């Protein structure tokens, strides 16, 4: 029988969406293996074009590889800061843009552009829909983690080709995201970038138009 999602569940779902944060500050507590496995299994429930399920999760377990990626991100953060105005640079330098050294888990996410699953259905005219599917899997993982009291942070200050090379993935895998997963240092219902005056949440009407 199809479940019924009543008002109480709807309120909890709204709270979950509100409390989903891009977390950069983590405690160093390790994550239980069963928890990680459950979260990745939940991500597998995400929708995908042609049911191709093109997401590929690579758990970065090596301390050496994790540090190499962290150093790379640090260098890219510094390089990106040079392009900002003097006033903006001060605000930028106060931000923490990744938690790879503290998070219990670091996961690189790729899209398998050569997957045979789904037989190409829905991707003939828009092959990029495979990568959109990967993003949906990431968001599913994000919400599932938040529901368990965990935090997830998306590290975008990296060069895709560098990550692909360092992790030695298959030639047809394309980098989508580098994720930090773990116990938040201080959970908060307000995005850090908003708290620090970088960018506030836009009113939803701003992003809606009619034709």
């Amino acid at each position: 029988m199809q479940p019924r999602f009543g008002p109480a569940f709807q309120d909890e779902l709204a709270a979950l969406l509100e409390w989903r944060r891009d977390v950069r500050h983590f405690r160093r507590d390790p994550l239980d293996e069963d928890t990680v496995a459950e979260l990745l299994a939940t991500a597998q429930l995400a929708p995908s074009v042609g049911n191709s399920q093109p997401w590929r999760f690579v758990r970065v377990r090596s301390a050496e590889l994790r540090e190499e990626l962290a150093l790379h991100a640090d260098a890219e953060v510094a390089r990106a800061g040079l392009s900002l105005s003097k006033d903006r640079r001060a605000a930028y330098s106060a931000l923490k843009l990744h938690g790879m050294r503290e998070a219990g888990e670091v996961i690189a996410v790729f899209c398998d552009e050569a997957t045979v699953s789904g037989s190409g259905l829905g991707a003939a005219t828009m092959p990029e829909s495979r990568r959109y599917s990967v993003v949906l899997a990431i968001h599913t993982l994000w919400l599932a983690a938040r529901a368990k009291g965990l935090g997830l942070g998306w590290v975008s200050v990296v060069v895709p080709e560098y990550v692909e090379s360092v992790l030695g993935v298959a030639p047809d895998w394309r980098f989508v995201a580098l994720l930090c997963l773990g116990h938040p240092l201080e959970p908060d219902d307000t995005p850090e970038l908003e708290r620090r005056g970088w960018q506030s949440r836009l009113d939803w009407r701003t992003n809606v138009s009619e034709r």
Side-chain angles (χ1 to χ4, degrees), residues 166-200:
V166 165
L167 297 182
V169 297
D172 293 309
W173 289 16
R174 292 294 171 265
F175 174 77
V176 175
L178 192 58
L179 307 177
C180 297
L181 175 66
H183 299 278
L185 191 61
E186 295 180 351
D188 201 302
D189 65 349
T190 304
E192 181 177 358
L193 295 183
E194 187 170 343
R195 295 198 313 270
R196 293 181 176 272
W198 185 267
Q199 175 64 58
S200 62

Side-chain angles (χ1 to χ4, degrees), residues 139-158:
H139 191 244
T140 302
L141 172 65
W142 214 326
L143 293 179
R146 178 62 265 176
K148 289 182 175 295
L150 299 175
L152 187 145
W154 185 323
V155 183
S156 59
V157 286
V158 291

